[in-house]
Amino acid sequence: MDGTPEMPGRSQQFKVTVKFERRGDGGLRAWSPDVPGLVLSNLDPDKVMADIEPAMEAILSERLGCKVRAHRLAKIGPSVTAATARPGTGLGRRRTLEFAAACA
């Protein structure tokens, strides 16, 4: 297996984990152990968050040969993006979010 999540059926959803960590300059880095090539990084955490779903959809659509739609499974609470990117908040350790993805 190449690391791409396996889909039991074209209509079934699968879960993708995205991990986050604060960069040394206060920015945010995101990547997924489930989706090779999904690595995002920016000084502006909101830009990283805004790019996750479109990037995931593009990579998985290409790998799986179907149009993939993705969405976040849970809210991340009061701006984990801003808090994770702020030094001294205690949120500099890695955080994760889960997304659902499926062929449309």
Side-chain angles (χ1 to χ4, degrees), residues 5-87:
E6 291 199 30
M7 293 185 56
R10 292 179 70 83
S11 64
Q12 292 184 336
Q13 289 189 354
F14 53 97
K15 187 169 52 173
V16 176
T17 299
V18 177
K19 297 185 176 199
F20 300 88
E21 68 180 7
R22 185 176 51 83
R23 299 183 342 186
D25 63 0
L28 186 66
R29 179 178 299 115
W31 73 96
S32 176
D34 300 322
V35 182
L38 180 62
V39 179
L40 301 164
S41 185
N42 197 299
L43 185 58
D44 182 346
D46 292 329
K47 289 183 180 178
V48 173
M49 295 303 294
D51 288 344
I52 292 172
E53 288 177 18
M56 183 183 306
E57 289 173 352
I59 292 168
L60 289 175
S61 291
E62 177 68 25
R63 289 181 184 260
L64 298 174
C66 63
K67 180 71 175 170
V68 171
R69 294 286 181 220
H71 66 276
R72 190 168 48 207
L73 289 174
K75 300 262 186 227
I76 55 174
S79 191
V80 90
T81 58
T84 301
R86 268 198 317 269

